[in-house]
Amino acid sequence: MDRRQQKTRKAIFDAFSTLLERKNFNNITVQEIIDEANVGRSTFYAHFETKESLLKAMCIDIFQHVFSDDLSQESSHDFSHAGHDFHKELTHILYHLQDNRKNLKGLLSCDSGEIFMEYFKEYLEQTFPIYIKELHYDVPPDYLLNHFVCSFSETVRWWITKHEQYTPEQIAAFYVQCVMIK
Amino acid sequence: MDRRQQKTRKAIFDAFSTLLERKNFNNITVQEIIDEANVGRSTFYAHFETKESLLKAMCIDIFQHVFSDDLSQESSHDFSHAGHDFHKELTHILYHLQDNRKNLKGLLSCDSGEIFMEYFKEYLEQTFPIYIKELHYDVPPDYLLNHFVCSFSETVRWWITKHEQYTPEQIAAFYVQCVMIK
DNA sequence: TATGTTATCATACACTTTGTTCTATATTTA
DNA sequence: TAAATATAGAACAAAGTGTATGATAACATA
C-alpha cells in the first residue's frame, strides 16, 4: 500500500477519533473530519464513500485486533471446563476492548452506538455458540444465543461508557454470574 | 385541542408510520413525511421541531399506553410472589407492545431502533427495581438493573423484528427462564 | 349568526451538507 | 529517470433543512 494512502488513512482515523470524543457521530460533518485531518475533500472521498463507511472501517479495524487471536482455538472445550474457558475468553476480549476504550467511548455515544453494537454482536454470534451449545434451557436456541450476545455487548457498553473503574476480570465475573444458571 | 391540530397530528403520525414500514428512519426526509401526510411544510414545523422530535413523540405515545395502567399498583409484592407478579407484569407489557407491532417494526429498524430502545429502557428502569430489589447477586445494583432492563428490551426487539410467531406468554417465559437464577 | 382567533397552505428564501469533477502538483514505485 | 498514482484545492450541482411571509380557511365563542 502506498505510503501516502497509509498516512491519509491514519490521519482520517485519528481525526474521526478525536471528533468522536467531543461530539455525536450524527453531528460530525465530513467537512469537520477533513479539516481536523488536514486532508483534501476529494482525498477523503477517495478513501471512504460516506461517513458511515468510515465508521464501519473503524469498527472492523478494532474487532480485527479483538478477535484476531482466537482463544477458542487454543484451549480445550470439554463440557466440564466450558464455564472456565468462557470466562477466560470473555476476559481476553475485554482486555482488548480496554486498549481501545478511547475510541470506544466515542463510538458508543448515542447515534453511532447502534452501528458499533451491531458489528460487535455479529462477531459475538460467531464466538459464543461453542460455549453455550451444552446448556439445556427450555428456550429456542437462537433466543438463547441472542440473550447471551446482547447481555454481553450491553455489559461492555455499561462498562465503557459509565463504569470504567472495574477491571476486565470483574466485568467478566459480573456477566457470568448474571447469565449462567448454576 | 383544536380539531385541525388533531387531524394534522394524526396525519403526520400515520404518514411517518407508513414510511417507517418501507424505509429506515435516517433515510426518511421531512419532505417525504409532508407529502405522505399531505400537509404544508410550515405546518409540520409548527408541530414538530425536527424529525427526531416526531420520533420521540411517537415513542412517548406508545409507551403511554403500554405503561399507563401500572400493574405494580394493583398486585401484592411479597417476596414470595415476586416472581409471579414479575411474570404477569411482563406479559402485560408484551400484550400492549403487540398491539403496536405495526409501528414497532418500523421504529426498531436499524437507525431509529437505538432511539426507541433508549426510551423503552428509561421506562423499564422505573418499573423493574421493585421486582429485583430482593434478589441477592454479588454484582453492583445498577449493573443488575441494567442487565434485566437490557435483556428484556432486547428480547422485545428479537420478538418484534424476527419472531412474531410467539405469544406474549411464551416470550415472558423465555425471558424469565434466562434471567432468573433459581 | 357575527367576530376575533388561530391553524393551515403555498411559496420563497438563505443556509448547510453532500458527493462529484477538474487540473495542477507532489510522491511513489519500478 | 519515467510512468503511475495520490493529493490539494476549488468549483459545482443537488438535496435537504428550517424560517418567514401573506392569503385563506376552520374554529371557538359571545
Side-chain angles (χ1 to χ4, degrees):
Chain A
M1 197 190 201
D2 199 312
R3 281 178 218 153
R4 289 171 295 182
Q5 285 188 56
Q6 293 177 39
K7 278 165 71 176
T8 298
R9 192 178 165 90
K10 184 178 185 320
I12 293 173
F13 267 56
D14 289 347
F16 188 49
S17 176
T18 302
L19 290 169
L20 278 172
E21 288 177 50
R22 291 208 292 272
K23 51 201 299 193
N24 279 345
F25 173 73
N26 278 356
N27 294 328
I28 296 174
T29 65
V30 174
Q31 191 60 53
E32 286 175 303
I33 300 172
I34 287 167
D35 292 342
E36 180 73 32
N38 197 27
V39 145
R41 183 165 195 74
S42 50
T43 303
F44 176 88
Y45 282 105
H47 281 258
F48 304 100
E49 281 191 354
T50 64
K51 210 175 57 174
E52 282 72 20
S53 308
L54 169 58
L55 176 58
K56 180 169 186 171
M58 186 170 250
C59 289
I60 290 172
D61 210 61
I62 291 171
F63 293 136
Q64 237 162 17
H65 288 104
V66 174
F67 291 92
S68 58
D69 44 326
D70 191 354
L71 264 189
S72 62
Q73 303 304 325
E74 301 167 13
S75 45
S76 64
H77 289 107
D78 319 67
F79 179 51
S80 55
H81 296 289
H84 180 251
D85 285 351
F86 191 41
H87 200 293
K88 251 176 68 182
E89 168 95 31
L90 295 176
T91 308
H92 174 248
I93 292 171
L94 291 169
Y95 265 106
H96 275 290
L97 290 173
Q98 196 179 40
D99 295 338
N100 286 284
R101 69 181 174 287
K102 191 167 151 286
N103 281 343
L104 288 187
K105 276 191 103 152
L107 286 180
L108 281 170
S109 78
C110 188
D111 302 316
S112 60
E114 184 74 341
I115 303 174
F116 173 86
M117 294 287 277
E118 279 307 309
Y119 289 124
F120 189 29
K121 287 180 193 171
E122 278 178 32
Y123 279 90
L124 294 177
E125 275 166 12
Q126 294 172 351
T127 308
F128 277 19
I130 52 166
Y131 295 111
I132 64 176
K133 67 169 188 281
E134 304 289 352
L135 304 173
H136 296 293
Y137 290 58
D138 192 21
V139 302
D142 69 327
Y143 175 81
L144 189 62
L145 179 59
N146 186 68
H147 174 68
F148 272 74
V149 164
C150 289
S151 293
F152 186 66
S153 56
E154 291 293 349
T155 295
V156 168
R157 169 146 59 182
W158 180 88
W159 179 43
I160 296 289
T161 60
K162 292 177 297 190
H163 300 82
E164 280 191 286
Q165 71 266 27
Y166 295 107
T167 64
E169 281 85 359
Q170 285 179 299
I171 296 294
F174 294 165
Y175 171 71
V176 169
Q177 188 175 158
C178 283
V179 104
M180 295 300 248
I181 296 181
K182 285 149 203 155
Chain B
M1 197 191 202
D2 200 311
R3 283 178 220 153
R4 291 170 294 182
Q5 286 187 57
Q6 293 177 39
K7 277 166 71 177
T8 298
R9 192 177 165 91
K10 183 176 185 319
I12 292 174
F13 267 57
D14 288 347
F16 187 49
S17 176
T18 301
L19 290 170
L20 277 173
E21 288 179 50
R22 290 208 292 272
K23 50 199 300 192
N24 278 343
F25 174 73
N26 279 357
N27 295 327
I28 296 173
T29 65
V30 173
Q31 190 60 53
E32 286 175 305
I33 300 171
I34 288 167
D35 292 343
E36 180 72 32
N38 197 26
V39 147
R41 182 164 196 75
S42 48
T43 303
F44 176 89
Y45 282 106
H47 282 257
F48 304 100
E49 282 191 353
T50 63
K51 210 175 58 174
E52 282 73 20
S53 308
L54 169 57
L55 176 58
K56 180 169 184 170
M58 186 170 252
C59 287
I60 290 171
D61 211 61
I62 292 173
F63 292 135
Q64 237 163 17
H65 289 104
V66 174
F67 292 92
S68 58
D69 45 326
D70 191 354
L71 264 189
S72 61
Q73 303 305 324
E74 302 168 11
S75 45
S76 65
H77 287 110
D78 319 66
F79 180 50
S80 55
H81 296 291
H84 179 251
D85 284 352
F86 191 40
H87 199 294
K88 252 176 68 182
E89 169 95 32
L90 295 177
T91 307
H92 174 249
I93 292 171
L94 290 170
Y95 265 107
H96 276 290
L97 291 173
Q98 195 178 41
D99 294 339
N100 285 284
R101 68 181 174 287
K102 191 168 152 286
N103 281 343
L104 289 187
K105 276 190 101 152
L107 287 180
L108 281 170
S109 78
C110 187
D111 301 317
S112 59
E114 184 73 340
I115 303 173
F116 173 86
M117 293 288 278
E118 280 306 311
Y119 290 124
F120 189 29
K121 287 180 194 172
E122 277 177 32
Y123 279 90
L124 293 177
E125 274 165 12
Q126 295 172 350
T127 308
F128 277 19
I130 52 165
Y131 295 111
I132 64 176
K133 67 169 187 285
E134 306 287 354
L135 304 174
H136 297 291
Y137 291 65
D138 191 20
V139 301
D142 68 329
Y143 175 81
L144 188 64
L145 179 58
N146 186 69
H147 174 69
F148 271 74
V149 165
C150 289
S151 293
F152 186 66
S153 56
E154 290 294 348
T155 296
V156 169
R157 168 145 61 182
W158 179 87
W159 178 44
I160 297 289
T161 59
K162 292 178 296 191
H163 301 82
E164 280 191 287
Q165 72 267 27
Y166 296 105
T167 65
E169 282 85 359
Q170 285 177 300
I171 296 294
F174 295 162
Y175 171 71
V176 168
Q177 188 175 157
C178 283
V179 104
M180 295 300 248
I181 296 181
K182 283 147 203 159

